Amino acid sequence: MAYNSILDWVKFTDPMTSSGYPYGDVYNLPYDIGYKIWELISGLIAWLIDLIVPGNEVSTFLTETPLLTNLLSITLMVVVIFAVGFIVNLTMIWEERKVLGRMMDRRATRVGPLGYFQNLADGLKTFLKENITPSSADKKGYMWALTILIGTSVLLAFMIPLSGRWFIVDYRTGLLILFGLFAIAPFMILVAGWSQNNKYTLLGGMRAAAQMISYEVPMLIIFASVALMAGSLNINDIVNAQHEYMWYIIPQFLGFIVFIIAAIAEAERIPFDLPEAEAELVEGWQTEYSGMK
Amino acid sequence: MADMWVTMGPQHPFSHGLWTLKVRVDGEVVKDAIPVIGYLHRGWEKECENRTYPLIIPMADRLCYSASMTWSHVYCKVVEEAMGIELSDRAKYLRVVADEICRLQSHLMWLAAMGTDLGNLTVFLWALREREFFLDLNVKLCGQRLTTNYPRLGGVRNDMPYFFERDCMRAVNRFEKVLWEIIGLTDESSIFLSRMRDVGVISRKDAANYGLTGPTMRGCGVDFDVRRDDPYCNYDLLDWEVPVCKEGDAYARYKVRIEEMFQSCEIIRQAMAKLDSIPKTDPIRVKAPRNVPAGTHFARVEDPRGESLMYLVSDGTDRPYRLKVRSPIFVNVSASKHLVQGVRIADIPAIMGTIDMCLGETDR
């Protein structure tokens, strides 16, 4: 095979035809994107090396090894998923701030083009803040309650199947695991509020726990109705059932509205911001957490 | 859960200044409250005894940053009564205009603070946006945004600048329309109504016993306003109404203040018409003597927060022997124990917000 131009190195083949394709006969879009990015990178490197040392082994190793292509495609796929999640998150916060600013007749975000980098600047500022642990706080509870809280939230994100064959958990009672993880958060908030040894945080923690537990009841009912419709507690089965039948948002429209309201309450946003209660409890259970905590 | 004392303040989002409200709570229900003030005590009254009479006017501005005009007004009024000076009509109406501009911007400041207390940032920003127009009027008339230093013993510092009447009418006419937009944010919000109604109720009798004044008193059915019932500066020649509500809760105090803003616009409009009919040759300032004859005098005006009163003891020299300030908030805050009895912690900002705390005049 003659490698004359760069196009010979960067082939953009269909990943399903390659020998190392890990998903059988199911098409996987994130893998495809990762595969194409790796093909571009490896092709460029191989082309450059081939320009200097024509006919070497490294160039062909980079482009032709199925195991290497497979591994790096999956790595790039994870990077792409994280990047997309990050950008979507950033864009949504930016959008909300812009709309709020327009409503309140003020400038919303100012850093970067259209103020898009304001969130990055704010995040950087928060990273540079000093980390203060109150001397009277219970150190273990203070540190670990928040760690477990964030940990369970991130674990919840991993329970979501991203495509037909890209998931981490495929278990018969996946929904129950999800709910178990969900139920940890109120207790951790209570511990966090208690461990800071501050009356505001204690009251805020109690309020947060009470509110989150009470809004979990309607959420559980909605989840149960979805599970009943799909006839399974497996999240992948629920997703597939929607693919075959129709989106459950249509038959379960009432449930969808209740879920949105309950989700807002769980996230402690206005008008469900009792636990945070800026006016009377300073910042609720987060009062003593400083810096990036 | 056993009772516990929660110290809210002195650095707390709800306190709007440096003061502490110690509340005894049983879970979320407030059982008892003790207001602690005095963090901002500057020895104002003692300091006045070492200054000549004209030098106290800028100090009176510093009693309350958002009601500086009425405080310097009450000081000038008590000294003028002691000196036996009668103001010219033009000076009187100029003081009326400046007082009402001050009342408008003070009430807008209160509305903005009320918005943040209830978590409504839109009200905060919209009210402060409208307040800028009245601060601009202050700049045109007095040369300062907040600490105006406008009244003088025997009159005011300067006449209206060119085009002030036009600017003032524009601001007032515009404001009467825009205030309805802000009311739409509050009165049409069920969250706002449910948080303001039936909290912090105080009866007519209790209000009288605590000595409450101002919108706090008029919110519980007492029909009293110093501007109408003990008139000064020709307020009795103007046609306006005193808003009164009977409920006595936080929402009634809110309604009284909103209605007062409309009435202030009306007063400014009429005072401007009166100023038009007074010839420009009318003096804005009468010469005041250096010394005040010995005796005791007091004067009171209607502050945005209540009835502000000054009591002057003079000994015939050019410095006051004693100058006592009766601060409306100092009296009103004493009712906080009664107001927050039995409510939830979440209601405390809504209730104390309607008192409209200003610590400069409270601690003096």
Side-chain angles (χ1 to χ4, degrees):
Chain A
M1 197 169 175
Y3 293 109
N4 294 323
S5 73
I6 185 167
L7 288 174
D8 296 330
W9 289 103
V10 185
K11 287 187 281 289
F12 284 131
T13 49
D14 187 359
M16 287 174 77
T17 58
S18 73
S19 56
Y21 189 62
Y23 297 113
D25 50 357
V26 183
Y27 176 69
N28 193 321
L29 179 68
Y31 183 84
D32 194 4
I33 296 169
Y35 188 82
K36 294 266 161 62
I37 294 173
W38 170 243
E39 275 198 327
L40 191 67
I41 295 168
S42 66
L44 280 174
I45 296 169
W47 175 63
L48 281 173
I49 295 171
D50 194 59
L51 275 184
I52 300 159
V53 189
N56 61 29
E57 301 272 313
V58 182
S59 294
T60 42
F61 176 76
L62 274 176
T63 48
E64 309 273 321
T65 320
L67 185 68
L68 188 70
T69 313
N70 194 6
L71 270 177
L72 283 162
S73 298
I74 289 179
T75 313
L76 280 169
M77 166 178 145
V78 173
V79 168
V80 163
I81 289 168
F82 265 96
V84 167
F86 187 69
I87 288 167
V88 165
N89 192 2
L90 216 62
T91 311
M92 281 173 79
I93 298 172
W94 170 76
E95 203 174 283
E96 188 198 354
R97 289 175 75 159
K98 275 288 177 198
V99 171
L100 275 179
R102 194 55 72 83
M103 271 164 63
M104 293 178 183
D105 198 5
R106 65 179 165 89
R107 278 172 185 273
T109 56
R110 296 190 66 179
V111 179
L114 291 176
Y116 191 80
F117 297 135
Q118 182 82 48
N119 290 317
L120 292 174
D122 286 355
L124 192 69
K125 179 212 74 171
T126 323
F127 268 112
L128 294 175
K129 291 254 175 190
E130 189 187 354
N131 245 331
I132 302 166
T133 308
S135 57
S136 60
D138 182 68
K139 302 289 184 303
K140 279 179 192 159
Y142 182 78
M143 292 299 296
W144 281 103
L146 208 64
T147 314
I148 295 171
L149 182 68
I150 302 291
T152 51
S153 308
V154 174
L155 271 182
L156 280 179
F158 283 120
M159 300 294 291
I160 303 168
L162 286 174
S163 78
R165 297 294 295 268
W166 174 245
F167 45 79
I168 292 174
V169 178
D170 181 21
Y171 193 59
R172 280 183 295 131
T173 54
L175 207 61
L176 288 185
I177 296 171
L178 200 144
F179 233 88
L181 287 173
F182 218 70
I184 293 173
F187 296 106
M188 283 307 119
I189 287 179
L190 187 58
V191 170
W194 203 349
S195 65
Q196 291 167 52
N197 203 4
N198 181 321
K199 284 163 185 171
Y200 300 126
T201 59
L202 177 59
L203 281 169
M206 293 238 174
R207 280 187 188 188
Q211 176 173 318
M212 290 179 85
I213 287 172
S214 52
Y215 277 98
E216 256 164 38
V217 176
M219 234 170 187
L220 184 64
I221 294 169
I222 304 304
F223 280 18
S225 65
V226 167
L228 280 175
M229 280 194 80
S232 168
L233 283 172
N234 191 331
I235 297 171
N236 293 6
D237 286 355
I238 292 172
V239 174
N240 288 334
Q242 294 189 60
H243 186 63
E244 285 155 18
Y245 176 53
M246 63 159 73
W247 286 11
Y248 286 166
I249 185 172
I250 297 159
Q252 292 277 355
F253 189 68
L254 201 67
F256 167 70
I257 292 169
V258 174
F259 176 80
I260 289 289
I261 291 170
I264 293 170
E266 292 275 336
E268 295 172 13
R269 301 300 304 269
I270 290 172
F272 299 100
D273 62 337
L274 278 180
E276 239 160 75
E278 210 190 341
E280 73 260 19
L281 293 183
V282 193
E283 266 302 323
W285 60 272
Q286 309 161 5
T287 303
E288 295 282 0
Y289 282 117
S290 58
M292 200 52 204
K293 278 205 208 97
Chain B
M1 198 159 102
D3 290 4
M4 70 175 179
W5 284 95
V6 178
T7 310
M8 298 175 93
Q11 280 151 1
H12 191 278
F14 106 102
S15 59
H16 301 310
L18 282 175
W19 71 293
T20 302
L21 186 68
K22 287 185 176 171
V23 288
R24 188 159 64 85
V25 291
D26 177 14
E28 291 264 325
V29 183
V30 179
K31 297 279 184 195
D32 197 0
I34 303 173
V36 182
I37 55 171
Y39 295 95
L40 218 59
H41 180 64
R42 294 154 290 172
W44 192 92
E45 289 169 359
K46 190 70 190 167
E47 178 72 27
C48 287
E49 290 166 18
N50 298 322
R51 289 179 175 235
T52 56
Y53 284 103
L55 287 181
I56 300 174
I57 301 170
M59 275 188 70
D61 279 339
R62 270 73 178 171
L63 272 176
C64 176
Y65 66 97
S66 67
S68 56
M69 180 61 211
T70 42
W71 278 105
S72 40
H73 187 168
V74 69
Y75 170 70
C76 289
K77 190 159 170 264
V78 70
V79 178
E80 281 153 13
E81 276 181 19
M83 288 171 172
I85 299 173
E86 180 63 24
L87 264 65
S88 69
D89 272 354
R90 195 165 182 81
K92 280 180 181 175
Y93 284 121
L94 281 171
R95 278 192 187 182
V96 167
V97 170
D99 265 10
E100 296 307 317
I101 289 172
C102 166
R103 194 181 313 279
L104 276 168
Q105 59 99 346
S106 170
H107 278 357
L108 279 170
M109 181 88 195
W110 158 81
L111 188 61
M114 203 69 226
T116 49
D117 280 347
L118 300 180
N120 192 340
L121 268 178
T122 317
V123 171
F124 170 74
L125 284 151
W126 286 20
L128 284 188
R129 182 187 67 193
E130 298 316 318
R131 183 167 172 262
E132 284 302 308
F133 288 94
F134 295 104
L135 292 180
D136 285 350
L137 288 182
N138 263 351
V139 171
K140 278 171 190 142
L141 186 62
C142 325
Q144 257 299 351
R145 279 160 62 87
L146 289 172
T147 46
T148 48
N149 193 15
Y150 185 56
R152 288 289 182 274
L153 302 177
V156 292
R157 192 185 67 184
N158 56 294
D159 204 343
M160 286 190 292
Y162 291 121
F163 301 122
F164 179 74
E165 187 180 350
R166 186 200 65 182
D167 294 343
C168 192
M169 283 299 104
R170 272 185 190 170
V172 165
N173 291 337
R174 183 182 174 282
F175 175 69
E176 277 181 331
K177 291 191 197 87
V178 175
L179 185 53
W180 282 110
E181 282 179 19
I182 303 175
I183 291 172
L185 283 178
T186 53
D187 264 357
E188 286 171 26
S189 153
S190 56
I191 296 170
F192 182 83
L193 292 181
S194 61
R195 288 198 66 179
M196 294 286 274
R197 278 208 176 120
D198 299 326
V199 296
V201 183
I202 188 161
S203 71
R204 207 183 140 100
K205 191 182 160 201
D206 287 331
N209 284 341
Y210 278 113
L212 303 189
T213 46
T216 320
M217 173 188 67
R218 288 192 285 278
C220 55
V222 184
D223 190 5
F224 182 82
D225 192 315
V226 182
R227 289 176 288 174
R228 186 193 63 190
D229 299 316
D230 183 12
Y232 55 94
C233 281
N234 290 356
Y235 265 110
D236 47 338
L237 301 182
L238 306 172
D239 179 27
W240 55 282
E241 286 167 9
V242 177
V244 178
C245 280
K246 287 206 166 49
E247 293 84 3
D249 55 359
Y251 184 62
R253 297 192 275 277
Y254 156 83
K255 270 200 295 189
V256 166
R257 282 209 171 84
I258 293 283
E259 189 54 39
E260 263 186 20
M261 284 197 242
F262 284 116
Q263 294 299 332
S264 288
C265 293
E266 190 56 39
I267 293 172
I268 291 178
R269 193 172 288 124
Q270 291 179 20
M272 278 296 180
K274 296 265 186 191
L275 275 171
D276 258 357
S277 61
I278 298 170
K280 288 261 181 189
T281 50
D282 201 34
I284 56 160
R285 196 164 161 187
V286 193
K287 184 142 176 69
R290 184 182 170 82
N291 293 0
V292 173
T296 60
H297 295 272
F298 81 92
R300 54 180 179 173
V301 301
E302 185 71 21
D303 193 67
R305 286 161 181 76
E307 185 185 317
S308 56
L309 190 149
M310 275 198 196
Y311 180 72
L312 172 73
V313 180
S314 50
D315 55 356
T317 61
D318 58 347
R319 285 151 216 259
Y321 180 75
R322 176 85 171 91
L323 188 61
K324 169 84 177 72
V325 175
R326 188 263 187 207
S327 150
I329 293 301
F330 182 75
V331 181
N332 287 3
V333 79
S334 67
S336 58
K337 180 182 174 181
H338 185 276
L339 287 169
V340 302
Q341 202 82 259
V343 301
R344 308 263 166 175
I345 290 184
D347 296 328
I348 292 179
I351 294 167
M352 299 319 290
T354 51
I355 299 280
D356 196 6
M357 290 299 287
C358 180
L359 269 297
E361 56 168 83
T362 313
D363 296 339
R364 300 191 283 281

